[in-house]
Amino acid sequence: MPSLNFVYRGCTVDIQIGERATLWDVTIEVTPFDGVELIEPFGARKLKLAKVEELDVIQAALIEEVQLAIDHRLVGC
């Protein structure tokens, strides 16, 4: 199961991607560091995506979407 782990704007991001025959099972967890305030907390998100795109395309899109979501939820942005 591929995983993506990175830090963005004071939040750790963990994305786990599982593979089924026709689906990608995706779990996304965003955890802010102490002192980082979010308008709304994330919690864990689970997605099932149809396997219409290659894994590298899915990974790039997930990273971009998570970064945008963090940008929109940071206090003061």
Side-chain angles (χ1 to χ4, degrees), residues 2 17 19 24 26 49-62:
I17 303 172
E19 185 174 2
W24 297 111
V26 180
L49 303 174
K51 262 190 165 173
V52 294
E53 299 286 345
E54 295 295 321
L55 181 59
D56 59 337
V57 173
I58 294 294
Q59 288 175 327
L62 287 169

Side-chain angles (χ1 to χ4, degrees), residues 38-40 65-75 77:
L38 299 176
I39 294 170
E40 180 183 337
E65 289 297 319
V66 168
Q67 289 174 335
L68 285 172
I70 290 170
D71 288 342
H72 290 285
R73 292 182 185 200
L74 281 174
V75 172
C77 290

Side-chain angles (χ1 to χ4, degrees), residues 19-63:
E19 185 174 2
R20 291 190 190 183
T22 60
L23 295 172
W24 297 111
D25 286 324
V26 180
T27 302
I28 303 169
E29 292 187 51
V30 177
T31 307
F33 292 148
D34 286 340
V36 175
E37 292 185 60
L38 299 176
I39 294 170
E40 180 183 337
F42 280 92
R45 304 278 194 231
K46 295 185 183 275
L47 307 168
K48 293 189 185 309
L49 303 174
K51 262 190 165 173
V52 294
E53 299 286 345
E54 295 295 321
L55 181 59
D56 59 337
V57 173
I58 294 294
Q59 288 175 327
L62 287 169
I63 290 169

